[in-house]
Amino acid sequence: SLAQAYAHGADIDWSSVFGRGARVVELPTYPFQRQRYWRSPAPASGAAAAPEPAGAGAVPSGGTAARGDWRLPPGLSAAEREEAVLTLVRAETAAVLGHPRAEDVDLGRGFLDAGGTSLGAVQLRNRLNEATGLDLPVTVALDHPTALALTRHVADRLAEASAADRAPLPVLDELDRLETALAASAVDDGTRKELGDRLRGLLRRLDDSGPGTEYDEATDDQLLELIDQEFGIS
């Protein structure tokens, strides 16, 4: 936290932390992964461009340049959905752990065992929530510590959210559709009787008194009028 405050411009009294004998030293520009971020010098005029080494000039996986663009394509199978989520989880985990590439995240290694912290687990949860639109719990990265376990959990949550989006319309909306259908077409006596019987059965379920209520003796017109009064369908 102190280092983050310093990186954002805070004036830190380092002597109170390390003592007056501390000195500034050069540190590697990468997290000991032997990956370089420097671009190769521009080639001389007319010279062929030398190929850049792996990772040169690239934003580390999960970096802010690529965030906010993640979308789960529709119509994926369960396996395809899990694969897409795995790519996201590895990228975000790599960003939190400081790895230059998503491939550096060990799928079967626990988040804390890989060098993560409790604060990092919260950061990972926040990044996944931002990318997916889910509301994952604060402890999700600790409850599902490996990248594979976390991927399966996030994929399941996304599947549940997708199923909820396809859930049937509320009951009152369905009654509105029924009324519209009745108004748009003539109903013969046979259909009217069958409709009345089925509506009576539904109304029995809503009435605590059970079978043998006033609905049994109501005419079809009275029954439709009752539905209009009770549910506000006009």
Side-chain angles (χ1 to χ4, degrees):
S1 297
L2 195 63
Q4 288 181 339
Y6 176 76
H8 283 80
D11 187 11
I12 306 298
D13 180 9
W14 292 109
S15 63
S16 65
V17 180
F18 297 107
R20 298 191 178 278
R23 61 189 178 87
V24 177
V25 297
E26 291 290 333
L27 292 177
T29 55
Y30 56 89
F32 305 101
Q33 298 294 321
R34 295 182 174 81
Q35 301 293 324
R36 55 175 301 195
Y37 290 107
W38 310 114
R39 288 187 178 276
S40 299
S45 178
E52 292 184 346
V59 177
S61 298
T64 55
R67 304 200 65 229
D69 298 330
W70 190 85
R71 295 289 185 276
L72 191 62
L76 296 181
S77 66
E80 291 170 334
R81 180 172 59 247
E82 188 169 309
E83 182 179 356
V85 175
L86 177 60
T87 300
L88 172 70
V89 168
R90 292 187 83 177
E92 299 298 352
T93 302
V96 172
L97 294 178
H99 295 326
R101 303 176 306 170
E103 293 77 9
D104 294 329
V105 175
D106 189 332
L107 298 183
R109 193 177 185 187
F111 181 78
L112 296 180
D113 293 337
T117 63
S118 297
L119 176 59
V122 175
Q123 292 173 338
L124 177 55
R125 171 259 193 178
N126 292 342
R127 295 175 73 94
L128 291 174
N129 277 352
E130 181 181 346
T132 62
L134 294 173
D135 185 18
L136 300 169
V138 174
T139 59
V140 67
L142 301 179
D143 296 336
H144 309 275
T146 68
L148 277 180
L150 184 57
T151 292
R152 287 164 183 158
H153 179 72
V154 173
D156 289 344
R157 288 291 303 275
L158 286 170
E160 292 170 3
S162 178
D165 291 340
R166 299 192 302 269
L169 295 174
V171 174
L172 294 182
D173 289 345
E174 294 290 352
L175 288 175
D176 286 340
R177 292 176 57 189
L178 172 61
E179 184 201 23
T180 300
L182 289 173
S185 60
V187 179
D188 57 41
D189 291 342
T191 301
R192 177 178 289 272
K193 182 179 185 308
E194 181 180 355
L195 179 60
D197 290 342
R198 296 182 65 177
L199 288 175
R200 287 189 187 89
L202 291 174
L203 286 171
R204 288 193 194 99
R205 299 181 186 180
L206 297 176
D207 195 317
D208 292 336
S209 61
T213 68
E214 59 180 329
Y215 305 134
D216 291 329
E217 284 73 36
T219 66
D220 295 332
D221 289 335
Q222 290 172 332
L223 189 59
L224 293 175
E225 182 180 357
L226 176 63
I227 292 175
D228 180 36
Q229 294 172 355
E230 293 293 327
F231 296 101
I233 299 175
S234 58

